[in-house]
Amino acid sequence: SVAVRFDGVFREYPHKTGQVSALDGVSLDVPRGSIFGVIGHSGAGKSTLVRMVNGLDRPTGGRVLLEGTDLASLPPAGLRAAQKTTGMIFQQFQLLETVSVRDNVARPLILDGVRRRDARARADEVLEFVGLADKGDRRPGELSGGQKQRVGIARAIVRNPQVLLCDEATSALDPSTTTQIIELLRRINATYGTTIFVVTHEMDVIKDLCHEVAVMSDGRIVEHGTVLDVFVRP
Ligand code: ADP
Ligand code: ADP
């Protein structure tokens, strides 16, 4: 079954000389439970693509189906509910610097109306899972880059999402820290069956992490297959 289906997706941005086509007819199925990578150069359309999945951006043509539901067909409350079945991590972590690590992780639950004490207890569970049980009281600024990304991951999975979206999630990290983050993402996939959708320009991340890969260029999918098919076989 399919977690995310891109069905002839276009995204055009207005531009002084007409239009820029960030996505130019993308069709792709991301199997449920898979670790799926999209690789491409800067400007290929990767960020635009990943933002379609949680409704941070919308197609100007075609459809994006999340667990079979066309996001554009949903009323605002339905869209918010669908968004909560996803989590996202970012290159620059996007943590709140003025609150504790624990409250960064608890925040999505608190915004949902979960009582603060319950949200913080759940945050501590997830922090333990990502190996930061002892860091809940710290501020993000006191942590290393790899630890900050673990906090980002903890926040992204605190609601048990079906799909975890990763936008250049290791691009700010050194190679050994990248390896640790890859191991954590694999463990999330193996433990919870979470579908992981990765966009990156880093070939090694795709090779080490992903089951399936699509190559993106100028808003189009130019190749798609297993990592072996696309990168190893001639
Ligand atoms: P990638 O993540 O692969 O670097 P993006 O999805 O960020 O690619 O961008 C794809 C194309 O769309 C680029 O040409 C970019 O300049 C353009 N683009 C992205 N976002 C916007 C925007 N908000 N307004 C105008 N053009 C945009
Ligand atoms: P804060 O923790 O930022 O002070 P809260 O209003 O959530 O803000 O908590 C106020 C007090 O109530 C705190 O001492 C907190 O431990 C306690 N508290 C929060 N949630 C619960 C709860 N579900 N049951 C009992 N006490 C709670």
Side-chain angles (χ1 to χ4, degrees):
S1 59
V2 177
V4 182
R5 169 165 292 169
F6 299 96
D7 179 13
V9 175
F10 289 80
R11 177 52 161 115
E12 298 194 328
Y13 290 109
H15 188 263
K16 11 181 209 297
T17 59
Q19 306 253 295
V20 179
S21 222
L23 299 177
D24 191 12
V26 172
S27 292
L28 208 56
D29 281 356
V30 179
R32 191 177 291 162
S34 69
I35 307 183
F36 194 105
V38 176
I39 191 162
H41 295 298
S42 175
K46 304 181 301 295
S47 279
T48 304
L49 187 71
V50 76
R51 290 160 57 85
M52 294 282 159
V53 181
N54 60 5
L56 282 181
D57 199 350
R58 284 168 170 264
T60 49
R63 303 183 307 161
V64 179
L65 291 89
L66 179 60
E67 299 289 342
T69 301
D70 180 359
L71 292 176
S73 74
L74 295 171
L79 180 61
R80 282 195 296 276
Q83 287 170 326
K84 288 176 191 177
T85 71
T86 71
M88 187 161 176
I89 60 174
F90 307 89
Q91 180 167 4
Q92 295 302 333
F93 322 123
Q94 317 270 75
L95 303 177
L96 288 177
E97 297 296 334
T98 54
V99 307
S100 70
V101 162
R102 177 181 300 107
D103 282 354
N104 267 276
V105 177
R107 188 172 170 80
L109 299 176
I110 290 169
L111 293 175
D112 283 350
V114 175
R115 285 185 300 187
R116 209 169 284 260
R117 196 178 68 170
D118 298 337
R120 286 174 174 157
R122 168 66 184 152
D124 282 339
E125 269 175 31
V126 183
L127 283 168
E128 184 168 1
F129 180 85
V130 303
L132 295 177
D134 56 336
K135 298 287 189 258
D137 293 328
R138 303 296 183 89
R139 295 289 169 91
E142 300 173 73
L143 305 185
S144 69
Q147 289 171 333
K148 285 182 192 170
Q149 192 57 292
R150 284 170 190 274
V151 178
I153 291 169
R155 180 184 56 190
I157 65 172
V158 74
R159 287 195 287 226
N160 290 316
Q162 308 259 349
V163 181
L164 177 59
L165 305 170
C166 309
D167 188 358
E168 298 285 1
T170 55
S171 300
L173 305 175
D174 63 51
S176 74
T177 308
T178 292
T179 300
Q180 292 169 17
I181 295 298
I182 285 172
E183 281 168 8
L184 176 57
L185 294 173
R186 295 184 84 95
R187 190 153 58 87
I188 290 166
N189 174 256
T191 306
Y192 303 112
T194 312
T195 304
I196 301 191
F197 186 64
V198 173
V199 304
T200 182
H201 69 278
E202 296 184 303
M203 177 80 86
D204 289 344
V205 169
I206 298 280
K207 285 184 173 171
D208 292 350
L209 177 62
C210 295
H211 306 138
E212 241 181 276
V213 60
V215 181
M216 215 177 169
S217 177
D218 283 336
R220 295 182 190 172
I221 303 301
V222 295
E223 270 193 90
H224 173 208
T226 66
V227 170
L228 270 177
D229 285 338
V230 173
F231 294 124
V232 182
R233 297 195 184 116

